[in-house]
Amino acid sequence: MEAALNGLAGTVKHSASKEAINVAKETWKRFSDKKDVPIVHLREKCLAAFELAFDHGNEKHFHHAVDGVQILLRDQLFHDTITEETQNSLPSQVLHAMTGIDEWRSQLQCKCITLLVEMVCSNELKVSMIDVEQCVQIYKRVYGKNEEERVRVACRAATTQSLSAYFSNRYAACESPQEAIAVYMDVGKMLEELSAEVEQMSSAHEQCLISLDAICALLTSSNLRILRHQPFVNLLWEKICPLIILLLGIPQKGMSISLKASESGGNDEPVGEGKIDFALAPSVITNPHTWRALYQIVDQLIRLMISDPSLASSLEALFHKAFLFPRLDQRSEALRLIKKILGDGSKMSKIAKSCVTTRSLSLWRMLMTCIVECANPQLELSIDAVKTIVAMLDGMKQLSTHRFFTEDEKKMISETFLSVEDTIVNSFSLKCSERASDISTVDEDTENVFDQSGSSSASDDQMALKLRRLEQKFRCGTISTRRSSELDESSERNTAKNFVESFSENLELIASPKSTLSIDEAILQFASNFYANFCSVHADAYKSRSKIQQEFLNTDAIYLTTYAALSYVSRPNTYTLEDLKKTVLNSGSVVHVANGWLEKVYDNLKLADVHATKITPTLKNVINDFDGQTKGLLSDVEKLKRIKTRQDEVDCTQEKNVARWMTSSAWQMIIDVLSTFSSAKEKRKTREKIREAISVSICGMRNLCAVAQVLGLESRCGTMLLLLTVNRNPLALLGNIFWPCNWFLMNPELQFMRLHAGNILFAVLNTSGSLRSTFMEPCAMRSPLD
């Protein structure tokens, strides 16, 4: 302290300042020598000298005065040892010395604001609620009277840091419920005062932004235990939430076209989801800081209100106003907040819990609707919308693979979803009329590909048409088809019986290897041997008896039938004839086999003496890898991952059920957003932007496939392939999206994808060279899924 006073005395020339410095030095000397000066009196004389230096000094004086105030705040010698009156405490005296801060230089204002923040955040000083309120008022005054950006940034940062640190320290010091209630009351009192200030002043007022920062800091520092304090809960839904809803915007004068159409009955969609022309307040538009501060408060209100079911209606109104009513060109902050919420599995679980509690997907639907509406290719916001969907899929994967719910919450979820079917719902879409056929194709897989009864006439007509074309091409006589009654089924029956007998005899030999690759080689060798015997026997028979060959088999058909037979042996009670036919006929390979032969193989398998006990664990893994019933990674990949992580699997059944419920309901919306740029045209000026958007879309499609794999929704992934085949730009496509997903190659649910792989490749190869290179370039950036 003596050094600071001497420094001032050696440089100051103002007479009043000199006199005050001399008085402070004498008081300090008496205090050091005789200890007969009260500490309050010493601080008063020192701060008087420092205040005059702030008012009339120069840069050198400011330096010594700031050092002096820091010594008062940091040195415990100057701290209160006994309870003093409020106006005589060290914080109150420091605040009194800052009365003229409005007129000081900007550099000195920043330094003094830093001193106030240090004082409020200190755990050693006894800072009262009144002192904190006075600090906030000082920040407001300085912000309103100074137009320099650095000073305004310092005021906003000081407001946030002071309130957050002060109340965090008080929360940490609470040792009893009564002390916590006292903190809750102070928070509620200050929130009420700030809300009244904001409500009375215009949103364009200079001090409004500081008040909004203060509200945000108070909400941020409050933990969820404050919801036990009913007056605070009442304050949220009675004042804070309505105030923010009001500040977010008001309807524009006049009526939008969509609203008129709705009133006239021309549009059945609900009004209010991006259809009324709402605009943010003028100050919000001109000042992006106010805009951002409002959505920061919205973020904290969601964090607090979503944990209290009694606030569900207020929260839904807040969602509606914050995410759906602003115009599309004013939704950047809304989209950024949605990305923050949905990209975090923990925050996503809060949304999911609220939806399950209310048994409504309204909150989830409003978030997804906002994203879909922002996915307009004419706006810069569209790329952010696609990125938001990608982040949402990351959050959904976190939700479905980690534990987030308590035991009581799990019990509630189990009572809500009694079966897996209850968690799968039809997806809502903003383009319901256009997507109705797609949704029915994706959501309902009821078609029996082996049912020929309803399509026999159509197939006969197609066959007749092909025969007429052959007659015209080769100029030959009438070509007749052979009737099924002319077929000799004895040979087919014997071959099927021989196959099952040979399979039974070689099962132990097939199951004996200790690795999956060796077992696959054994199966391939068995198929090759059986095919060689089949060819030799039938060739001799047909040559000696001069018969026309009616039975055809190739190695691929026998290889796949062997795998199908293994699947039957592993689960004979559930493996049906249709499963066997799908495995062989819909594999995507070129197979020469008849339906009748497969039926006879299935009949012989039921009569054969083959037991599941002969299947070793390694062979079981091979079967699971082939038929994809476990819907997991390849067994070797899972083994490597277990070796790497050495972690026990976590049971997340309830989390998966909720994630499946939400994902299936928004499936079509996700597809709509990810396909925003699928048909974009190549332009020189926008090429980089479009390429970035396409790369992000591809990443999103791969994330969607990964989420679908975890949730058991693989059958819906065919929508993406359909999207790629019908659009001019197939998006680099199959390899880039599905390359890391081994289940794409083996899962029977994904036969649609395998069958259309050739069409997609043909579409890629027939695009122009520059366009093809544009789409193939992202292949270098792909990375395997987790």
Side-chain angles (χ1 to χ4, degrees), residues 362-397:
S362 59
L363 297 182
W364 170 247
R365 184 177 187 272
M366 283 187 278
L367 295 177
M368 295 302 301
T369 300
C370 179
I371 300 174
V372 175
E373 290 178 348
C374 293
N376 188 333
Q378 299 177 354
L379 299 175
E380 295 285 345
L381 207 61
S382 55
I383 298 179
D384 293 334
V386 177
K387 291 180 180 179
T388 303
I389 285 292
V390 176
M392 182 274 294
L393 292 171
D394 290 336
M396 191 65 73
K397 189 174 182 180

mmCIF file of all heavy atoms in Angstrom, residues 362-397:
data_model
loop_
_atom_site.group_PDB
_atom_site.id
_atom_site.type_symbol
_atom_site.label_atom_id
_atom_site.label_comp_id
_atom_site.label_asym_id
_atom_site.label_seq_id
_atom_site.Cartn_x
_atom_site.Cartn_y
_atom_site.Cartn_z
ATOM 1 N N SER A 362 -44.663 -33.932 -29.638
ATOM 2 C CA SER A 362 -44.809 -32.556 -30.117
ATOM 3 C C SER A 362 -43.485 -31.791 -30.049
ATOM 4 O O SER A 362 -43.121 -31.087 -31.002
ATOM 5 C CB SER A 362 -45.881 -31.826 -29.307
ATOM 6 O OG SER A 362 -45.535 -31.822 -27.924
ATOM 7 N N LEU A 363 -42.748 -31.907 -28.945
ATOM 8 C CA LEU A 363 -41.470 -31.200 -28.839
ATOM 9 C C LEU A 363 -40.491 -31.686 -29.907
ATOM 10 O O LEU A 363 -39.833 -30.890 -30.585
ATOM 11 C CB LEU A 363 -40.869 -31.390 -27.448
ATOM 12 C CG LEU A 363 -41.658 -30.842 -26.256
ATOM 13 C CD1 LEU A 363 -40.884 -31.072 -24.964
ATOM 14 C CD2 LEU A 363 -41.951 -29.367 -26.436
ATOM 15 N N TRP A 364 -40.390 -32.976 -30.045
ATOM 16 C CA TRP A 364 -39.499 -33.578 -31.037
ATOM 17 C C TRP A 364 -39.930 -33.175 -32.448
ATOM 18 O O TRP A 364 -39.096 -32.848 -33.297
ATOM 19 C CB TRP A 364 -39.524 -35.088 -30.859
ATOM 20 C CG TRP A 364 -38.855 -35.899 -31.916
ATOM 21 C CD1 TRP A 364 -39.453 -36.746 -32.793
ATOM 22 C CD2 TRP A 364 -37.460 -35.960 -32.211
ATOM 23 N NE1 TRP A 364 -38.530 -37.338 -33.612
ATOM 24 C CE2 TRP A 364 -37.291 -36.879 -33.270
ATOM 25 C CE3 TRP A 364 -36.332 -35.337 -31.690
ATOM 26 C CZ2 TRP A 364 -36.060 -37.175 -33.825
ATOM 27 C CZ3 TRP A 364 -35.101 -35.637 -32.224
ATOM 28 C CH2 TRP A 364 -34.965 -36.548 -33.274
ATOM 29 N N ARG A 365 -41.213 -33.160 -32.675
ATOM 30 C CA ARG A 365 -41.715 -32.826 -34.004
ATOM 31 C C ARG A 365 -41.416 -31.369 -34.351
ATOM 32 O O ARG A 365 -41.071 -31.056 -35.503
ATOM 33 C CB ARG A 365 -43.219 -33.078 -34.064
ATOM 34 C CG ARG A 365 -43.830 -32.858 -35.434
ATOM 35 C CD ARG A 365 -45.312 -33.195 -35.417
ATOM 36 N NE ARG A 365 -45.875 -33.139 -36.751
ATOM 37 C CZ ARG A 365 -46.379 -32.050 -37.318
ATOM 38 N NH1 ARG A 365 -46.372 -30.918 -36.641
ATOM 39 N NH2 ARG A 365 -46.874 -32.073 -38.544
ATOM 40 N N MET A 366 -41.523 -30.469 -33.383
ATOM 41 C CA MET A 366 -41.240 -29.066 -33.662
ATOM 42 C C MET A 366 -39.767 -28.850 -33.986
ATOM 43 O O MET A 366 -39.421 -28.053 -34.868
ATOM 44 C CB MET A 366 -41.678 -28.203 -32.476
ATOM 45 C CG MET A 366 -43.175 -27.984 -32.417
ATOM 46 S SD MET A 366 -43.676 -26.802 -31.149
ATOM 47 C CE MET A 366 -43.678 -27.845 -29.702
ATOM 48 N N LEU A 367 -38.888 -29.539 -33.289
ATOM 49 C CA LEU A 367 -37.462 -29.423 -33.590
ATOM 50 C C LEU A 367 -37.163 -29.917 -35.003
ATOM 51 O O LEU A 367 -36.445 -29.265 -35.778
ATOM 52 C CB LEU A 367 -36.639 -30.206 -32.564
ATOM 53 C CG LEU A 367 -36.686 -29.720 -31.122
ATOM 54 C CD1 LEU A 367 -35.872 -30.650 -30.220
ATOM 55 C CD2 LEU A 367 -36.145 -28.300 -31.012
ATOM 56 N N MET A 368 -37.706 -31.079 -35.355
ATOM 57 C CA MET A 368 -37.456 -31.638 -36.678
ATOM 58 C C MET A 368 -38.118 -30.787 -37.770
ATOM 59 O O MET A 368 -37.570 -30.622 -38.858
ATOM 60 C CB MET A 368 -37.978 -33.078 -36.745
ATOM 61 C CG MET A 368 -37.241 -34.045 -35.826
ATOM 62 S SD MET A 368 -35.467 -34.114 -36.165
ATOM 63 C CE MET A 368 -35.463 -34.636 -37.869
ATOM 64 N N THR A 369 -39.293 -30.226 -37.487
ATOM 65 C CA THR A 369 -39.957 -29.370 -38.459
ATOM 66 C C THR A 369 -39.118 -28.135 -38.761
ATOM 67 O O THR A 369 -39.008 -27.702 -39.919
ATOM 68 C CB THR A 369 -41.344 -28.953 -37.945
ATOM 69 O OG1 THR A 369 -42.139 -30.118 -37.720
ATOM 70 C CG2 THR A 369 -42.053 -28.055 -38.953
ATOM 71 N N CYS A 370 -38.525 -27.560 -37.729
ATOM 72 C CA CYS A 370 -37.664 -26.393 -37.926
ATOM 73 C C CYS A 370 -36.489 -26.740 -38.835
ATOM 74 O O CYS A 370 -36.139 -25.968 -39.735
ATOM 75 C CB CYS A 370 -37.163 -25.882 -36.573
ATOM 76 S SG CYS A 370 -36.065 -24.451 -36.674
ATOM 77 N N ILE A 371 -35.899 -27.895 -38.640
ATOM 78 C CA ILE A 371 -34.761 -28.294 -39.476
ATOM 79 C C ILE A 371 -35.195 -28.489 -40.924
ATOM 80 O O ILE A 371 -34.526 -28.031 -41.860
ATOM 81 C CB ILE A 371 -34.131 -29.588 -38.922
ATOM 82 C CG1 ILE A 371 -33.631 -29.379 -37.487
ATOM 83 C CG2 ILE A 371 -32.982 -30.045 -39.807
ATOM 84 C CD1 ILE A 371 -33.132 -30.643 -36.819
ATOM 85 N N VAL A 372 -36.329 -29.150 -41.113
ATOM 86 C CA VAL A 372 -36.796 -29.417 -42.479
ATOM 87 C C VAL A 372 -37.120 -28.117 -43.197
ATOM 88 O O VAL A 372 -36.797 -27.940 -44.383
ATOM 89 C CB VAL A 372 -38.027 -30.342 -42.443
ATOM 90 C CG1 VAL A 372 -38.604 -30.524 -43.842
ATOM 91 C CG2 VAL A 372 -37.647 -31.700 -41.861
ATOM 92 N N GLU A 373 -37.755 -27.183 -42.497
ATOM 93 C CA GLU A 373 -38.086 -25.911 -43.127
ATOM 94 C C GLU A 373 -36.835 -25.113 -43.498
ATOM 95 O O GLU A 373 -36.827 -24.369 -44.469
ATOM 96 C CB GLU A 373 -38.976 -25.086 -42.202
ATOM 97 C CG GLU A 373 -40.378 -25.649 -42.059
ATOM 98 C CD GLU A 373 -41.235 -24.840 -41.109
ATOM 99 O OE1 GLU A 373 -40.687 -23.986 -40.386
ATOM 100 O OE2 GLU A 373 -42.454 -25.051 -41.093
ATOM 101 N N CYS A 374 -35.771 -25.277 -42.712
ATOM 102 C CA CYS A 374 -34.523 -24.571 -43.005
ATOM 103 C C CYS A 374 -33.740 -25.216 -44.145
ATOM 104 O O CYS A 374 -32.813 -24.601 -44.671
ATOM 105 C CB CYS A 374 -33.637 -24.505 -41.758
ATOM 106 S SG CYS A 374 -34.300 -23.475 -40.434
ATOM 107 N N ALA A 375 -34.097 -26.441 -44.504
ATOM 108 C CA ALA A 375 -33.371 -27.145 -45.569
ATOM 109 C C ALA A 375 -33.860 -26.699 -46.931
ATOM 110 O O ALA A 375 -34.347 -27.484 -47.747
ATOM 111 C CB ALA A 375 -33.530 -28.661 -45.410
ATOM 112 N N ASN A 376 -33.710 -25.419 -47.198
ATOM 113 C CA ASN A 376 -34.114 -24.824 -48.470
ATOM 114 C C ASN A 376 -32.855 -24.550 -49.276
ATOM 115 O O ASN A 376 -32.021 -23.741 -48.867
ATOM 116 C CB ASN A 376 -34.875 -23.527 -48.205
ATOM 117 C CG ASN A 376 -35.493 -22.949 -49.464
ATOM 118 O OD1 ASN A 376 -34.998 -23.171 -50.564
ATOM 119 N ND2 ASN A 376 -36.575 -22.218 -49.307
ATOM 120 N N PRO A 377 -32.666 -25.187 -50.427
ATOM 121 C CA PRO A 377 -31.406 -25.021 -51.171
ATOM 122 C C PRO A 377 -31.108 -23.587 -51.575
ATOM 123 O O PRO A 377 -29.976 -23.267 -51.907
ATOM 124 C CB PRO A 377 -31.623 -25.908 -52.412
ATOM 125 C CG PRO A 377 -32.684 -26.875 -52.020
ATOM 126 C CD PRO A 377 -33.573 -26.141 -51.068
ATOM 127 N N GLN A 378 -32.104 -22.711 -51.543
ATOM 128 C CA GLN A 378 -31.878 -21.326 -51.935
ATOM 129 C C GLN A 378 -31.251 -20.497 -50.822
ATOM 130 O O GLN A 378 -30.897 -19.346 -51.029
ATOM 131 C CB GLN A 378 -33.207 -20.695 -52.365
ATOM 132 C CG GLN A 378 -33.846 -21.385 -53.566
ATOM 133 C CD GLN A 378 -35.187 -20.786 -53.916
ATOM 134 O OE1 GLN A 378 -35.701 -19.932 -53.210
ATOM 135 N NE2 GLN A 378 -35.750 -21.235 -55.030
ATOM 136 N N LEU A 379 -31.132 -21.044 -49.623
ATOM 137 C CA LEU A 379 -30.603 -20.307 -48.484
ATOM 138 C C LEU A 379 -29.289 -20.913 -48.028
ATOM 139 O O LEU A 379 -29.052 -22.122 -48.176
ATOM 140 C CB LEU A 379 -31.600 -20.323 -47.323
ATOM 141 C CG LEU A 379 -32.974 -19.691 -47.577
ATOM 142 C CD1 LEU A 379 -33.879 -19.906 -46.376
ATOM 143 C CD2 LEU A 379 -32.846 -18.215 -47.872
ATOM 144 N N GLU A 380 -28.427 -20.064 -47.457
ATOM 145 C CA GLU A 380 -27.185 -20.560 -46.863
ATOM 146 C C GLU A 380 -27.488 -21.475 -45.676
ATOM 147 O O GLU A 380 -26.691 -22.317 -45.304
ATOM 148 C CB GLU A 380 -26.331 -19.373 -46.392
ATOM 149 C CG GLU A 380 -25.829 -18.480 -47.506
ATOM 150 C CD GLU A 380 -24.686 -19.118 -48.267
ATOM 151 O OE1 GLU A 380 -24.116 -20.098 -47.751
ATOM 152 O OE2 GLU A 380 -24.373 -18.642 -49.371
ATOM 153 N N LEU A 381 -28.670 -21.279 -45.113
ATOM 154 C CA LEU A 381 -29.054 -22.039 -43.927
ATOM 155 C C LEU A 381 -29.222 -23.525 -44.224
ATOM 156 O O LEU A 381 -29.214 -24.339 -43.299
ATOM 157 C CB LEU A 381 -30.370 -21.466 -43.386
ATOM 158 C CG LEU A 381 -30.678 -21.616 -41.897
ATOM 159 C CD1 LEU A 381 -29.626 -20.911 -41.071
ATOM 160 C CD2 LEU A 381 -32.055 -21.057 -41.590
ATOM 161 N N SER A 382 -29.386 -23.891 -45.488
ATOM 162 C CA SER A 382 -29.674 -25.283 -45.826
ATOM 163 C C SER A 382 -28.521 -26.204 -45.457
ATOM 164 O O SER A 382 -28.729 -27.331 -44.980
ATOM 165 C CB SER A 382 -29.986 -25.404 -47.318
ATOM 166 O OG SER A 382 -28.916 -24.861 -48.087
ATOM 167 N N ILE A 383 -27.279 -25.745 -45.659
ATOM 168 C CA ILE A 383 -26.128 -26.573 -45.289
ATOM 169 C C ILE A 383 -26.092 -26.776 -43.777
ATOM 170 O O ILE A 383 -25.801 -27.872 -43.289
ATOM 171 C CB ILE A 383 -24.827 -25.938 -45.789
ATOM 172 C CG1 ILE A 383 -24.835 -25.837 -47.318
ATOM 173 C CG2 ILE A 383 -23.612 -26.730 -45.325
ATOM 174 C CD1 ILE A 383 -23.596 -25.200 -47.900
ATOM 175 N N ASP A 384 -26.415 -25.714 -43.024
ATOM 176 C CA ASP A 384 -26.477 -25.850 -41.567
ATOM 177 C C ASP A 384 -27.565 -26.826 -41.156
ATOM 178 O O ASP A 384 -27.420 -27.547 -40.158
ATOM 179 C CB ASP A 384 -26.723 -24.486 -40.921
ATOM 180 C CG ASP A 384 -25.559 -23.535 -41.105
ATOM 181 O OD1 ASP A 384 -24.428 -24.032 -41.262
ATOM 182 O OD2 ASP A 384 -25.774 -22.308 -41.116
ATOM 183 N N ALA A 385 -28.661 -26.847 -41.908
ATOM 184 C CA ALA A 385 -29.730 -27.799 -41.594
ATOM 185 C C ALA A 385 -29.254 -29.232 -41.772
ATOM 186 O O ALA A 385 -29.531 -30.112 -40.947
ATOM 187 C CB ALA A 385 -30.950 -27.520 -42.471
ATOM 188 N N VAL A 386 -28.515 -29.490 -42.851
ATOM 189 C CA VAL A 386 -27.982 -30.837 -43.073
ATOM 190 C C VAL A 386 -26.979 -31.195 -41.977
ATOM 191 O O VAL A 386 -26.984 -32.321 -41.448
ATOM 192 C CB VAL A 386 -27.332 -30.928 -44.471
ATOM 193 C CG1 VAL A 386 -26.719 -32.310 -44.686
ATOM 194 C CG2 VAL A 386 -28.356 -30.641 -45.565
ATOM 195 N N LYS A 387 -26.116 -30.244 -41.602
ATOM 196 C CA LYS A 387 -25.161 -30.496 -40.525
ATOM 197 C C LYS A 387 -25.877 -30.761 -39.199
ATOM 198 O O LYS A 387 -25.408 -31.553 -38.381
ATOM 199 C CB LYS A 387 -24.214 -29.308 -40.383
ATOM 200 C CG LYS A 387 -23.247 -29.126 -41.554
ATOM 201 C CD LYS A 387 -22.349 -27.931 -41.346
ATOM 202 C CE LYS A 387 -21.377 -27.766 -42.518
ATOM 203 N NZ LYS A 387 -20.501 -26.570 -42.338
ATOM 204 N N THR A 388 -27.001 -30.087 -38.992
ATOM 205 C CA THR A 388 -27.778 -30.321 -37.764
ATOM 206 C C THR A 388 -28.321 -31.739 -37.728
ATOM 207 O O THR A 388 -28.322 -32.390 -36.676
ATOM 208 C CB THR A 388 -28.925 -29.302 -37.674
ATOM 209 O OG1 THR A 388 -28.389 -27.971 -37.714
ATOM 210 C CG2 THR A 388 -29.697 -29.472 -36.382
ATOM 211 N N ILE A 389 -28.773 -32.227 -38.878
ATOM 212 C CA ILE A 389 -29.270 -33.607 -38.941
ATOM 213 C C ILE A 389 -28.134 -34.590 -38.646
ATOM 214 O O ILE A 389 -28.318 -35.590 -37.936
ATOM 215 C CB ILE A 389 -29.894 -33.887 -40.315
ATOM 216 C CG1 ILE A 389 -31.261 -33.216 -40.418
ATOM 217 C CG2 ILE A 389 -30.042 -35.382 -40.561
ATOM 218 C CD1 ILE A 389 -32.322 -33.818 -39.513
ATOM 219 N N VAL A 390 -26.954 -34.323 -39.178
ATOM 220 C CA VAL A 390 -25.801 -35.195 -38.914
ATOM 221 C C VAL A 390 -25.482 -35.209 -37.427
ATOM 222 O O VAL A 390 -25.239 -36.271 -36.835
ATOM 223 C CB VAL A 390 -24.578 -34.724 -39.730
ATOM 224 C CG1 VAL A 390 -23.355 -35.558 -39.376
ATOM 225 C CG2 VAL A 390 -24.863 -34.825 -41.222
ATOM 226 N N ALA A 391 -25.495 -34.030 -36.797
ATOM 227 C CA ALA A 391 -25.249 -33.964 -35.349
ATOM 228 C C ALA A 391 -26.354 -34.678 -34.580
ATOM 229 O O ALA A 391 -26.088 -35.363 -33.579
ATOM 230 C CB ALA A 391 -25.145 -32.506 -34.907
ATOM 231 N N MET A 392 -27.598 -34.535 -35.040
ATOM 232 C CA MET A 392 -28.703 -35.210 -34.370
ATOM 233 C C MET A 392 -28.547 -36.725 -34.413
ATOM 234 O O MET A 392 -28.828 -37.424 -33.432
ATOM 235 C CB MET A 392 -30.024 -34.800 -35.037
ATOM 236 C CG MET A 392 -31.274 -35.406 -34.403
ATOM 237 S SD MET A 392 -31.699 -37.051 -35.039
ATOM 238 C CE MET A 392 -32.121 -36.655 -36.711
ATOM 239 N N LEU A 393 -28.089 -37.238 -35.543
ATOM 240 C CA LEU A 393 -27.878 -38.688 -35.647
ATOM 241 C C LEU A 393 -26.764 -39.149 -34.710
ATOM 242 O O LEU A 393 -26.834 -40.246 -34.146
ATOM 243 C CB LEU A 393 -27.560 -39.053 -37.096
ATOM 244 C CG LEU A 393 -28.721 -38.868 -38.084
ATOM 245 C CD1 LEU A 393 -28.240 -39.049 -39.518
ATOM 246 C CD2 LEU A 393 -29.852 -39.845 -37.781
ATOM 247 N N ASP A 394 -25.732 -38.327 -34.534
ATOM 248 C CA ASP A 394 -24.697 -38.653 -33.545
ATOM 249 C C ASP A 394 -25.294 -38.706 -32.148
ATOM 250 O O ASP A 394 -24.997 -39.610 -31.354
ATOM 251 C CB ASP A 394 -23.567 -37.620 -33.598
ATOM 252 C CG ASP A 394 -22.739 -37.731 -34.862
ATOM 253 O OD1 ASP A 394 -22.715 -38.834 -35.452
ATOM 254 O OD2 ASP A 394 -22.119 -36.732 -35.266
ATOM 255 N N GLY A 395 -26.123 -37.722 -31.824
ATOM 256 C CA GLY A 395 -26.774 -37.729 -30.517
ATOM 257 C C GLY A 395 -27.710 -38.907 -30.341
ATOM 258 O O GLY A 395 -27.803 -39.483 -29.246
ATOM 259 N N MET A 396 -28.404 -39.291 -31.407
ATOM 260 C CA MET A 396 -29.309 -40.438 -31.332
ATOM 261 C C MET A 396 -28.528 -41.732 -31.101
ATOM 262 O O MET A 396 -28.976 -42.617 -30.357
ATOM 263 C CB MET A 396 -30.132 -40.527 -32.612
ATOM 264 C CG MET A 396 -31.277 -41.517 -32.540
ATOM 265 S SD MET A 396 -32.537 -41.041 -31.336
ATOM 266 C CE MET A 396 -33.309 -39.671 -32.188
ATOM 267 N N LYS A 397 -27.358 -41.827 -31.719
ATOM 268 C CA LYS A 397 -26.538 -43.018 -31.488
ATOM 269 C C LYS A 397 -26.038 -43.060 -30.057
ATOM 270 O O LYS A 397 -25.981 -44.125 -29.434
ATOM 271 C CB LYS A 397 -25.362 -43.026 -32.472
ATOM 272 C CG LYS A 397 -24.584 -44.331 -32.454
ATOM 273 C CD LYS A 397 -23.530 -44.367 -33.537
ATOM 274 C CE LYS A 397 -22.799 -45.720 -33.530
ATOM 275 N NZ LYS A 397 -21.753 -45.775 -34.575
#
